[in-house]
Amino acid sequence: MADYSKTVNLPQTQFPQKGDLPKREPAFLEFWEKNRIYGQMQDSAKARGEQAWVLHDGPPYANGHIHIGHALNKILKDMAVKSHALMGYRSPYVPGWDCHGLPIEHALLKELKMGKRDVKDVPAFRTKAKEFAESWIQVQREEFRRLGGLGDWDAPYVTMSKEYESRILHAFSGMYAKGYIYRGLKPVYWCVYCDTALAEAEIEYKDKTSPSVYVALPIKKAPAPELASAEVVVWTTTPWTLPANMAVAFHPELEYSLIEAVRPDWKAPRRFLIAAKRRDDFVKTIGAESVKTLKSWAGAALAPRAGAKAPEFAYDKPFGGDGIGVLADYVTAEDGTGAVHTAPGHGADDFHTGKAYGIEILCPVDGFGRFTERAGKFAGLQIFKEGNPAVIEDLKASGRLLKDSQIQHSYPHCWRCKNPIVFRATEQWFLNVNHNGLRKRLLEAIGTVAWIPTEGRARISSMVEGRPDWCLSRQRVWGTPIPILYCAKCKKPQDAPEVLAAIEARVAKEGSNFWFDNAGVEVRLADFLPGAAASACACGNATVIRETDILDVWVDSGASWHAVLDPQGQTPADLYLEGSDQHRGWFQSSLVLSVALTGAAPYKTVLTHGFVLDDQGRAMHKSLGNVVAPQEVVGKLGADVLRMWVALADYSDDVRLSPKLLEGPTEAYRKIRNTLRYLLGNVCDFDPKTHAVEPKADMDRYALHCLAELVRDVYADYEAFRYRSAARRIVDFCNLVLSAFYLDASKDRLYTLAANAPERRAAQTVMYHALRALTTLSAPILSFTAEEAWQEMRRAVGALPGADAAAVPESVFLSDELVQAREAWMAPELAKRWEAVFDVRAKVSKALEEARSAKTIGGSLEARVRLVGGGNGGSSVLEQYRDQWPEILIVSQAEIVPGPGELKIEVAKAEGKKCARCWRWQADVGQADPQNKPDLCSRCVRQLA
């Protein structure tokens, strides 16, 4: 038998079946960089006048290697940017880094083996901090680029640059001029380990075991004589705040009872004043016996309202001095005693009550969490480790401690050092969220934004509704300075607009290190700000001192729209995309600054994703051994597999990941790669300019219809950020339309017809369109593989005699495939008709499998299929495609016997002989050229003529 293998058009391609992505992908990073692919994307889009679509990058912190959460975030962003670029938008992407703040400062202090207050040369320390941040930016930039992201990596925005810092100060000055910013005494979240105030967004709630104490305070003065020898009982889980106790708060409408109780360790019965609803729980808790209620009063009858003098209520404070009774609506009888220990220097409610009643705002705790001299005998003790035990022991010795136990409860912790924080009343800079109706306007602005998922709107709204004034100041050195100068004589702020503008201008020119050079030293205003219009205070003094606090880093990042987008005319951004924790972080800080300064939100759409957990739903920790590092995944499987995992994930919720869970994305990737390889192999001799034809056969038109639907639907998915749906559609198209049907059914004409046969060129035309569309559609997800396939397609076209390689753009990311109209391919009536075709095909496939099991046939080409009946409309499809059924069913022969009733399928051995070239069984094998080609069918003889 002759060898006809060289006479058939077998697929040829240099696109390997095995991706070998860890080794192959870096070459495409070099290709993109060397050929300025991102720059070309922007240039060509601008030249075409395309509408801008801007995703604004939320800056990651420049400290440490990226983790899997970073990868999820950056890949989602990259898919959004690339998909919109391919849809015809000018889609710039400027990555950013958050550089100031505690993590870097802590790392340096640890390295230098010193504390914050040991830093004498602040500018030198800040220079080291800048170098530290720069080194990690370099590391993270390469790790992010390795994930396949395109962007302006050589010109990112960094919050420590002099240009950026000046824009932060410009935003500060604008809000200061509008009256939003003020300095005042308030209790703020304070980390005694980091020695700084914290914003609400820097607080994490975790379970903490705390002491739980019930303390009896002797009543000295009361409106009822029955209370003369009684004690009011308070409960607290922060005994260290008792030295700062100034009042006991009652709810005006709660009922309070005077009870008499006996306990074996007491010498005599004791009388206590507590909320009536708490009586039974209180008695049980302290282990009292023989309890009776003597009399009850409403809270309003026990203490005066703010501003009133009666009724009078006084008691002995825990460690000496007189405290007073006050009324407060926040008091409840849900726990404790219904009488609340009030320390105005250590709580927000306490503070407001203290201000209302004119009580001293006592805060006998320093920034490191040690009692000051105002705490008397406890001075010098660390409040948690030493203060709590000392306070409890003292109360026990005085007989005031009724019960001491431990309680586990949710408690605020520092986001950075993970230690419990305190409330501490200090002078700080604040942004007033109620000034000029800001809170209301923030809520209105939230309503103008599209939130994905929609629950985001309710979440951020509830946070804004309840948020306190924003504490802007931090007692650290690595950050943007608060640009306020004080007269060295009268201490009045020198805050004229021209002074703030001069500070901003100097920072823009030099950076902010000059502010920290000999910061505590008086300087002449004229020397410090040469050229400033103001040179002296109204009091006549010409010297000033500088504010030593820095701005909260959330001001830095929250001003990014102002620093990065506003100068380019790109506000509001089309999209902010971050983790769901940013509703209380970057989304909110950006919103506050933008609404305060411009009256509108800085973004049109906000998309949030969940956190990455392991396959059991646990957070990833080194101690659990469940950390999946993106570097490891990329090094083992390749970035495109990681990108496929991201695309297939339901990012609206927490996402799970483990080596096992990567198997699904890996298989999906293989299916797309294999499909691309098959398409590339079968268009290896196809020049789209000279060989393309208008497909007329219904099978080709149906494939184009499905392709048009794919382009349309993936386009819509990308526009709505439905990457999971887009990825599934692409995989399903490869599986169901191409692999399971069209590619298989087209093999015969592709392989065995003459190279230029119209039927073969029609199939190649369809495949070429599918190849270009698939590479383009999958490029936002499988960036490396799409580029690899595109370059192979480009190489193959360029290798053809007379072909124009320019017909295929330089990169898949320079293709306009998605914006090309595909309406002409849509054939809904044909698609409806082909539903009946596929119904017949499915039934025949089942019958062929049964015949194969019965050993009637081997492969499907050995079969002769007889289709009998199939009335009720089915016969019209059978008749219409009478000549195409062998190709559709991939059999050698098909006989159509129309008639009524159910379709009956008969499978028999095909008649004739097997053609040695096309492998079809035909009755005319050997008849066309019996002398020279006795083993070929007539069709194959014609093809070789």
Side-chain angles (χ1 to χ4, degrees):
M1 183 179 290
D3 180 10
Y4 295 103
S5 62
K6 289 184 171 53
T7 71
V8 293
N9 308 302
L10 293 176
Q12 295 180 29
T13 180
Q14 294 180 17
F15 187 82
Q17 184 172 5
K18 184 179 179 183
D20 203 10
L21 300 182
K23 293 181 180 179
R24 201 179 302 276
E25 287 174 340
F28 294 104
L29 292 176
E30 294 179 14
F31 169 79
W32 293 331
E33 184 172 8
K34 180 181 177 181
N35 295 283
R36 290 187 61 255
I37 298 303
Y38 170 77
Q40 287 194 61
M41 290 169 64
Q42 303 311 308
D43 295 343
S44 60
K46 191 174 292 186
R48 293 193 299 267
E50 291 177 352
Q51 178 184 343
W53 185 90
V54 179
L55 179 149
H56 183 41
D57 189 32
Y61 197 73
N63 180 25
H65 292 281
I66 68 170
H67 54 68
I68 196 64
H70 286 125
L72 172 66
N73 177 259
K74 274 294 193 283
I75 291 172
L76 282 172
K77 288 176 179 176
D78 189 54
M79 290 193 296
V81 171
K82 286 174 178 171
S83 60
H84 278 78
L86 294 173
M87 285 190 290
Y89 293 95
R90 179 169 60 84
S91 185
Y93 174 67
V94 179
W97 272 273
D98 202 357
C99 306
H100 290 142
L102 276 173
I104 288 176
E105 192 171 322
H106 270 304
L108 275 181
L109 290 173
K110 185 177 181 181
E111 181 181 306
L112 299 171
K113 298 180 180 179
M114 62 169 61
K116 184 191 77 171
R117 297 187 183 184
D118 298 323
V119 177
K120 305 304 179 187
D121 189 345
V122 175
F125 181 86
R126 286 170 54 86
T127 298
K128 288 182 180 292
K130 182 180 180 183
E131 293 170 352
F132 183 96
E134 287 173 340
S135 69
W136 279 112
I137 288 174
Q138 295 301 325
V139 171
Q140 291 187 359
R141 173 168 25 211
E142 293 311 306
E143 290 177 333
F144 284 139
R145 287 183 69 247
R146 182 62 186 86
L147 298 175
L150 292 180
D152 202 351
W153 293 106
D154 293 329
Y157 77 87
V158 292
T159 61
M160 63 183 178
S161 73
K162 59 186 181 182
E163 297 85 3
Y164 193 102
E165 285 185 327
S166 71
R167 293 297 290 174
I168 295 172
L169 298 188
H170 187 267
F172 179 93
S173 300
M175 293 186 294
Y176 192 87
K178 291 173 179 282
Y180 290 106
I181 296 174
Y182 67 95
R183 183 172 174 81
L185 175 70
K186 277 190 176 184
V188 295
Y189 293 114
W190 187 279
C191 179
V192 300
Y193 300 91
C194 298
D195 185 25
T196 188
L198 300 173
E200 188 177 18
E202 298 170 313
I203 300 303
E204 298 175 347
Y205 279 85
K206 299 191 296 184
D207 283 348
K208 176 182 181 292
T209 300
S210 299
S212 168
V213 297
Y214 287 80
V215 181
L217 304 173
I219 297 172
K220 296 180 68 173
K221 184 183 292 185
E226 295 89 347
L227 297 172
S229 59
E231 300 165 281
V232 61
V233 182
V234 296
W235 169 70
T236 184
T237 59
T238 55
W240 63 267
T241 63
L242 288 169
N245 174 268
M246 301 298 288
V248 170
F250 304 96
H251 193 287
E253 297 176 6
L254 274 181
E255 181 183 358
Y256 290 85
S257 295
L258 177 65
I259 65 172
E260 186 175 84
V262 175
R263 205 168 73 179
D265 59 324
W266 297 337
K267 294 181 180 178
R270 297 174 70 170
R271 293 184 173 186
F272 302 121
L273 180 64
I274 61 170
K277 290 183 179 179
R278 300 302 305 161
R279 175 186 182 274
D280 293 344
D281 285 342
F282 169 71
V283 168
K284 182 179 179 181
T285 298
I286 69 169
E289 302 171 356
S290 303
V291 177
K292 58 182 178 180
T293 299
L294 303 177
K295 193 171 182 180
S296 296
W297 300 265
L302 296 174
R305 292 193 174 275
K309 295 183 178 180
E312 290 187 80
F313 188 98
Y315 63 94
D316 277 335
K317 293 194 295 184
F319 306 106
D322 292 346
I324 64 170
V326 296
L327 299 178
D329 290 335
Y330 56 79
V331 175
T332 74
E334 296 300 315
D335 48 26
T337 66
V340 176
H341 149 57
T342 301
H346 292 297
D349 288 335
D350 306 48
F351 173 81
H352 293 301
T353 298
K355 293 288 283 185
Y357 280 86
I359 301 170
E360 179 189 1
I361 310 300
L362 174 62
C363 179
V365 177
D366 69 14
F368 288 105
R370 294 193 172 275
F371 283 121
T372 66
E373 293 181 358
R374 292 296 305 275
K377 66 181 84 174
F378 305 112
L381 299 180
Q382 204 282 337
I383 57 173
F384 291 129
K385 297 176 182 177
E386 303 166 326
N388 274 336
V391 167
I392 291 171
E393 283 302 313
D394 194 282
L395 292 171
K396 191 180 296 182
S398 68
R400 295 187 175 189
L401 185 67
L402 299 179
K403 179 65 177 178
D404 169 26
S405 61
Q406 297 288 307
I407 186 173
Q408 189 174 53
H409 60 151
S410 181
Y411 190 88
H413 288 67
C414 172
W415 70 284
R416 170 57 194 159
C417 69
K418 310 303 180 185
N419 285 304
I421 58 92
V422 300
F423 270 101
R424 182 168 175 263
T426 59
E427 288 276 347
Q428 300 289 339
W429 286 93
F430 296 91
L431 186 149
N432 187 340
V433 294
N434 291 310
H435 175 69
N436 196 26
L438 180 58
R439 191 188 305 274
K440 179 183 177 183
R441 291 190 294 128
L442 289 170
L443 294 170
E444 290 172 349
I446 289 170
T448 67
V449 175
W451 299 89
I452 305 172
T454 56
E455 294 82 4
R457 175 176 178 176
R459 185 175 185 191
I460 193 170
S461 294
S462 65
M463 292 175 176
V464 169
E465 286 171 352
R467 73 163 294 155
D469 285 355
W470 182 358
C471 179
L472 301 176
S473 45
R474 296 293 181 274
Q475 292 65 49
R476 307 301 302 191
V477 297
W478 178 228
T480 305
I482 293 178
I484 298 295
L485 298 169
Y486 301 94
C487 173
K489 181 179 179 181
C490 71
K491 310 305 179 188
K492 181 180 177 182
Q494 303 302 292
D495 54 5
E498 56 267 27
V499 172
L500 295 179
I503 296 171
E504 178 191 329
R506 187 173 176 188
V507 168
K509 183 179 180 181
E510 303 175 29
S512 62
N513 264 11
F514 74 87
W515 188 271
F516 300 91
D517 191 10
N518 296 315
V521 178
E522 289 183 32
V523 292
R524 284 174 48 81
L525 180 59
D527 295 335
F528 191 67
L529 298 174
S535 59
C537 178
C539 73
N541 181 54
T543 60
V544 293
I545 56 175
R546 283 156 275 177
E547 172 62 67
T548 57
D549 288 352
I550 63 171
L551 284 168
D552 175 15
V553 291
W554 287 106
V555 177
D556 284 21
S557 58
S560 61
W561 62 270
H562 186 65
V564 181
L565 303 183
D566 221 25
Q568 304 297 321
Q570 294 175 342
T571 50
D574 290 279
L575 182 67
Y576 273 35
L577 190 163
E578 302 297 333
S580 56
D581 56 332
Q582 294 307 315
H583 287 111
R584 65 196 292 259
W586 189 52
F587 299 155
Q588 196 171 149
S589 63
S590 301
L591 181 72
V592 172
L593 266 64
S594 183
V595 173
L597 289 170
T598 72
Y603 35 67
K604 299 175 184 176
T605 300
V606 172
L607 184 151
T608 57
H609 59 78
F611 296 99
V612 182
L613 308 175
D614 71 4
D615 53 359
Q616 299 179 44
R618 301 174 301 175
M620 291 186 178
H621 293 293
K622 289 182 179 179
S623 59
L624 294 176
N626 63 349
V627 174
V628 178
Q631 298 86 347
E632 294 176 7
V633 177
V634 170
K636 183 178 180 181
L637 300 174
D640 268 357
V641 171
L642 188 62
R643 294 176 70 94
M644 179 59 89
W645 166 75
V646 172
L648 290 172
D650 179 7
Y651 63 74
S652 64
D653 201 351
D654 290 337
V655 183
R656 299 193 179 194
L657 178 63
S658 69
K660 180 72 175 174
L661 291 177
L662 282 169
E663 292 177 2
T666 301
E667 186 55 36
Y669 169 80
R670 286 196 188 111
K671 173 47 66 179
I672 294 176
R673 184 178 186 88
N674 289 341
T675 302
L676 292 175
R677 183 171 186 269
Y678 188 88
L679 291 171
L680 284 164
N682 280 286
V683 297
C684 61
D685 63 341
F686 181 81
D687 180 354
K689 283 200 169 182
T690 59
H691 295 150
V693 299
E694 185 69 31
K696 301 197 182 304
D698 279 4
M699 188 167 81
D700 295 332
R701 291 178 56 226
Y702 173 76
L704 284 178
H705 168 82
C706 293
L707 182 60
E709 284 191 323
L710 178 71
V711 173
R712 179 198 65 195
D713 294 343
V714 171
Y715 184 105
D717 285 335
Y718 280 152
E719 203 156 32
F721 315 107
R722 296 189 298 259
Y723 305 116
R724 190 183 198 186
S725 176
R728 284 178 167 175
R729 288 187 201 278
I730 292 170
V731 173
D732 286 348
F733 181 80
C734 291
N735 279 335
L736 305 178
V737 177
L738 295 182
S739 296
F741 167 57
Y742 187 76
L743 301 183
D744 215 12
S746 299
K747 279 182 181 178
D748 180 61
R749 55 177 163 155
L750 285 167
Y751 293 1
T752 66
L753 296 189
N756 286 316
E759 300 91 340
R760 180 171 183 270
R761 290 306 189 192
Q764 285 185 307
T765 300
V766 172
M767 290 185 180
Y768 182 77
H769 284 311
L771 176 61
R772 284 194 63 145
L774 277 176
T775 50
T776 309
L777 290 169
S778 61
I781 299 171
L782 304 179
S783 297
F784 293 100
T785 302
E787 188 68 84
E788 182 185 2
W790 190 270
Q791 294 306 319
E792 170 60 12
M793 177 171 60
R794 199 163 182 268
R795 183 205 63 77
V797 170
L800 295 175
D804 182 10
V808 183
E810 185 179 3
S811 167
V812 67
F813 297 109
L814 299 176
S815 167
D816 61 352
E817 187 74 23
L818 282 183
V819 294
Q820 293 179 8
R822 290 289 179 262
E823 289 82 0
W825 292 350
M826 298 294 286
E829 292 183 6
L830 174 67
K832 184 71 174 175
R833 186 160 65 243
W834 271 69
E835 289 179 10
V837 172
F838 281 109
D839 182 55
V840 172
R841 193 170 186 268
K843 292 175 180 177
V844 170
S845 295
K846 182 180 179 183
L848 288 172
E849 189 58 40
E850 292 171 351
R852 191 177 292 111
S853 298
K855 302 193 183 306
T856 303
I857 61 170
S860 64
L861 285 178
E862 293 183 16
R864 177 177 183 276
V865 174
R866 193 164 183 263
L867 304 176
V868 181
N872 302 323
S875 59
S876 63
V877 172
L878 296 178
E879 289 276 11
Q880 184 170 357
Y881 298 115
R882 176 184 289 274
D883 296 335
Q884 284 81 50
W885 280 112
E887 183 181 22
I888 294 171
L889 300 176
I890 317 177
V891 296
S892 290
Q893 298 148 18
E895 180 185 0
I896 309 302
V897 183
E902 294 273 337
L903 175 66
K904 294 180 182 179
I905 301 168
E906 300 172 3
V907 178
K909 186 84 171 179
E911 297 174 350
K913 299 178 182 178
K914 178 181 179 181
C915 175
R917 182 172 178 271
C918 69
W919 295 2
R920 296 179 309 144
W921 288 70
Q922 297 294 315
D924 62 358
V925 170
Q927 294 180 12
D929 189 354
Q931 292 293 329
N932 299 308
K933 299 179 179 63
D935 50 356
L936 295 189
C937 68
S938 298
R939 189 189 70 171
C940 283
V941 171
R942 290 195 303 274
Q943 302 305 313
L944 296 179

